[in-house]
Amino acid sequence: MFRRASRLLLSIVMLMAGAVVGVGATAGAAHADSCYTWNRTLSQGSSGSDVTQLQIRVAGWVTSGERLSYDGQYGARTAAAVKKFQAAYGLSADGVAGPATFSKIYALQDADCTPVHFTYAELNKCNSDWSGGAVSAATARSNALKTMWKLEAMRHALGDVPITISSGFRSRACNNAVGGSATSRHLYGDAADLVGSPSLCRLAQQARTHGFSEILGPGYPGHNDHTHVAFDPSPYWSAPTCGI
């Protein structure tokens, strides 16, 4: 409760500061954030690590079946994702990431860069160091962060309802223990199994517009009790009971 209240106050202060700074000023210079601070306004044609950091946070705001690249290049797709993010949070939807956009992101993230409604612990119930999967521990953890930001977008689009994760990253040992596929995306850290409310079908249907390329749910073998979402290089959706 205290953390949420503090973040709300911080968000209000940042938005007021953004209004004072003005549209033509650089973004983030007066808004130091404990996770990451943007120091310039970004728009089409911009490039760099600050664009990549933005892409991580807006990758869940895409059209059905689309996947946003984390390539550090602010192209048309990144601009479109920023517009959707801005519109979703009541900001001026111009596709330019400036003070107001960054202030909203700052309000949405914790000091470890995870979105406020999700934690690394929720995405890793296997071990403490993210080791033993199909990729390095650092890559698995990075993939989980990207997944959390997509889930944050999905959560907001569903009306800010809680989303419950039953399984995220798995080492090979953890994956074998639950009978997971040898090629499971859980081994890469970019998968999450969702349970509870909203309904499994609602979750599967909504996931299509939030950057997930692998969606498995009710009607697919072994998935009648959860909806699985992941970032797979070879897109595949199957939840026959849900019309997917």
Side-chain angles (χ1 to χ4, degrees), residues 39-124:
N39 293 303
R40 59 172 179 155
T41 293
L42 301 175
S43 59
Q44 286 199 58
S46 298
S47 63
S49 60
D50 50 359
V51 175
T52 303
Q53 289 295 326
L54 175 64
Q55 289 170 328
I56 289 171
R57 290 155 179 79
V58 301
W61 296 101
V62 293
T63 58
S64 181
E66 184 183 6
R67 294 175 292 169
L68 188 66
S69 297
Y70 306 103
D71 59 4
Q73 302 298 317
Y74 204 120
R77 285 190 172 185
T78 297
V82 169
K83 282 184 181 180
K84 286 181 178 291
F85 172 88
Q86 292 167 330
Y89 287 101
L91 306 177
S92 176
D94 58 6
V96 175
T101 299
F102 294 133
S103 290
K104 173 50 67 175
I105 292 175
Y106 295 150
L108 286 173
Q109 66 186 15
D110 281 324
D112 62 356
C113 299
T114 59
V116 293
H117 297 108
F118 297 95
T119 66
Y120 280 115
E122 289 178 276
L123 268 291
N124 183 359

Side-chain angles (χ1 to χ4, degrees), residues 121-146:
E122 289 178 276
L123 268 291
N124 183 359
K125 300 176 182 180
C126 171
N127 59 37
S128 61
D129 60 7
W130 300 84
S131 65
V135 293
S136 70
T139 297
R141 194 171 189 269
S142 176
N143 287 343
L145 179 64
K146 294 170 182 174

Side-chain angles (χ1 to χ4, degrees), residues 225-240:
D225 61 350
H226 69 279
T227 289
H228 166 93
V229 295
F231 185 79
D232 193 325
S234 301
Y236 183 73
W237 299 351
S238 183

Side-chain angles (χ1 to χ4, degrees), residues 134-178:
V135 293
S136 70
T139 297
R141 194 171 189 269
S142 176
N143 287 343
L145 179 64
K146 294 170 182 174
T147 296
M148 280 186 270
W149 278 100
K150 292 176 185 175
L151 289 173
E152 182 71 24
M154 186 167 152
R155 184 187 192 280
H156 186 64
L158 286 167
D160 289 313
V161 296
I163 291 178
T164 303
I165 301 168
S166 63
S167 182
F169 166 75
R170 299 174 192 159
S171 66
R172 295 192 186 280
C174 289
N175 192 56
N176 290 339
V178 298

